[in-house]
Amino acid sequence: MRANKYIFILLFLSLSGCDKIIDLSPQSNLNTSTYYSNLVEISSALTGCYNGLQKPLLEEWTLTELRSDNAVMGATGSQSQVNRDLSDLDMFFPSTSHAGNYNYWLYTYYNIYATNLVLNALNVNYDSNAGTIGFGDLTIPVKDTDRKKLSAEATFIRAHHYFNLVRLYGAVFLVHEPISPNDAKAVNRSTIDEIYKLIIADLQNTIANGNPAKFSAIASTELGRANAWSAKALLAKVYLTLNKKTEAATLLQDVISNSGYSLNPTYTNIFSINSEMSSEILFSIRFKGGGLGLGNRLPNSFAPLNSGAAVINGDGSGYNYPTSELNNLYTATDIRKSVNIGVYGTGTTAKLYPKKHISVVAIANDAENDWPVIRFADVLLMLAEAQGNSTSSLTAINQVRARAGLSALTAVNISTTAQFETVLNLERRLEFPFENIRWFDILRLNTTFTTLTAEKTMKEHFANMYPTQYALYPAPQVSLIDLQGFANNNRFILPIPQREIDNNTQLKISQNAGY
């Protein structure tokens, strides 16, 4: 299946000498529907949008998993700018000029721009008043079936980006059509409700026009592309985030009953580079090794520092270390622990690392590993979340637990809402570590659960890890009380990159509270 990865290398590179999608289109063409003139060109551009998911992902873990209770920055004594930037994110006081935060923002909006170009060429329009996607008259030679399928994939990618943006930054800039740099300065931040309105409309378009085939009937050339089922699963997560559990449950039950997707029988195989598009994976961000410029560099970033070739060829940077909290949560019989967490070294010098993302590489920073975005296990556990404490919810949880080698939960053990929420929160944490899910879970469960709060979770994390982690950071050192003080709703949201505010000469852009 690896041969079917998107290995499209942007044909524009030879013309522009730049790998930034936003720079590839002449400004005079930004508002035309004829920049792409046929199916081949639009399909190639859409493949570029899939490839454009890679760069934001390379920064995403620092804004999500690192800020959760699953991971910490490994080099506690380091004064290097890279490590200080990571520790600032980890401790909830990044600068408004933080480089990684800005890079994520920039790469995400680049790819939103690219998807808008594709949708514009197809004359696919968003009605912000009605909250719907519509199709205008098309003047280029593209069949209606192809047009709708291409639009479905593009709106999924755009929705994925905006869903991440709104959860990380709150109110952001809503741009749903190509605009010039000068026109962009007239666009201020939209409300959170307006952002979600677009996300829902985009995903509803993918559901209506995306590939509805069951997993077993999906052509090999279509594997990895967004389809109706991946959109239903992502929309369900959107609904859960908005605390619309009934709507989420309906979509999730449909996916479970009718999609043909299912749990991979073996947890290890989910992350194997030889079985990446199994029935477990509803959507992933795909990488291709082999010196094409499309390889994944995160495995080298995550491997332990100074491990040489013992963990991965080319050594590791040790940027992402599992917390001892997470490591200690796994029981002796849980087979997920050895897949998710590796150990390099022995005794007091032993280092933990995120093992699930690491494979053998011929070239450093050029791994084959895809990055799962939506797995079937997530669908099952989201259904349990949507339904609440019930027999059917425990059945869904137990399917995931059985694969992990754990015993089934019963209504005798789990009789109260508090018990149910505790076990579901734990199950999600043990199933999805280092997949950039935990931080969003902490924020979402803060709203949808009655017994868990994000503030309590993070304050406990800081207290648990302070003696062995945060107290060891070089000056300026932060006390535990001050560190716990940063665990508040204002700091859970990232700052709008200062350059966005400073470079706008037409509007006054507000910064998020607390920065």
Side-chain angles (χ1 to χ4, degrees), residues 385-405:
E385 181 182 338
Q387 294 178 151
N389 189 13
S390 65
T391 301
S392 59
S393 293
L394 293 180
T395 298
I397 297 172
N398 285 335
Q399 290 182 61
V400 178
R401 287 175 60 84
R403 182 176 62 181

Side-chain angles (χ1 to χ4, degrees), residues 18 59 100 112 217 243 271 297 328 361:
C18 177
E59 300 287 351
I112 288 173
N243 208 11
F271 312 101
R297 73 167 188 248
N328 294 335
V361 300

Side-chain angles (χ1 to χ4, degrees), residues 313-336:
N313 184 37
D315 204 354
S317 300
Y319 291 147
N320 187 6
Y321 279 72
T323 61
S324 56
E325 292 174 276
L326 174 64
N327 188 55
N328 294 335
L329 285 173
Y330 286 100
T331 64
T333 59
D334 195 328
I335 65 173
R336 294 173 296 194

Side-chain angles (χ1 to χ4, degrees), residues 126-132 176 194 197:
Y126 172 62
D127 185 332
S128 58
N129 293 320
T132 57
H176 53 79
E194 289 169 335
K197 195 174 182 180

Side-chain angles (χ1 to χ4, degrees), residues 102-300:
Y102 177 67
N103 287 339
Y104 177 82
W105 175 279
L106 193 66
Y107 296 148
T108 299
Y109 271 106
Y110 279 170
N111 212 37
I112 288 173
Y113 177 91
T115 58
N116 284 339
L117 283 176
V118 169
L119 292 167
N120 188 62
L122 295 168
N123 204 3
V124 178
N125 308 298
Y126 172 62
D127 185 332
S128 58
N129 293 320
T132 57
I133 298 294
F135 295 83
D137 294 336
L138 196 61
T139 59
I140 59 177
V142 176
K143 294 179 181 178
D144 190 58
T145 52
D146 290 329
R147 174 197 196 189
K148 288 183 175 179
K149 178 180 178 298
L150 292 168
S151 80
E153 295 180 44
T155 55
F156 180 92
I157 293 171
R158 185 169 67 180
H160 164 80
H161 283 313
Y162 271 117
F163 189 35
N164 283 348
L165 284 172
V166 73
R167 290 181 293 173
L168 290 171
Y169 300 95
V172 293
F173 302 95
L174 185 59
V175 183
H176 53 79
E177 58 186 6
I179 56 176
S180 71
N182 285 334
D183 289 340
K185 291 182 178 181
V187 178
N188 213 323
R189 299 172 67 181
S190 296
T191 66
I192 291 174
D193 287 345
E194 289 169 335
I195 303 298
Y196 274 111
K197 195 174 182 180
L198 172 70
I199 293 168
I200 292 170
D202 274 351
L203 292 175
Q204 287 175 336
N205 177 65
T206 310
I207 292 169
N209 296 306
N211 187 352
K214 291 190 175 186
F215 175 78
S216 60
I218 297 175
S220 60
T221 55
E222 292 293 304
L223 287 173
R225 293 185 176 273
N227 59 35
W229 303 112
S230 54
K232 287 180 181 182
L234 185 57
L235 182 55
K237 185 166 284 191
V238 170
Y239 282 146
L240 279 179
T241 303
L242 297 174
N243 208 11
K244 296 182 177 182
K245 295 182 179 180
T246 300
E247 293 90 335
T250 299
L251 290 168
L252 295 165
Q253 287 165 342
D254 186 15
V255 173
I256 292 168
S257 300
N258 301 312
S259 70
Y261 286 88
S262 61
L263 291 177
N264 190 313
T266 307
Y267 188 76
T268 306
N269 287 345
I270 299 170
F271 312 101
S272 168
I273 62 174
N274 297 312
S275 58
E276 291 179 308
M277 292 311 300
S278 71
S279 62
E280 175 99 10
I281 306 299
L282 280 84
F283 190 75
S284 66
I285 296 173
R286 312 213 66 191
F287 290 86
K288 181 68 178 175
L292 301 170
L294 295 172
N296 190 344
R297 73 167 188 248
L298 290 177
N300 281 95

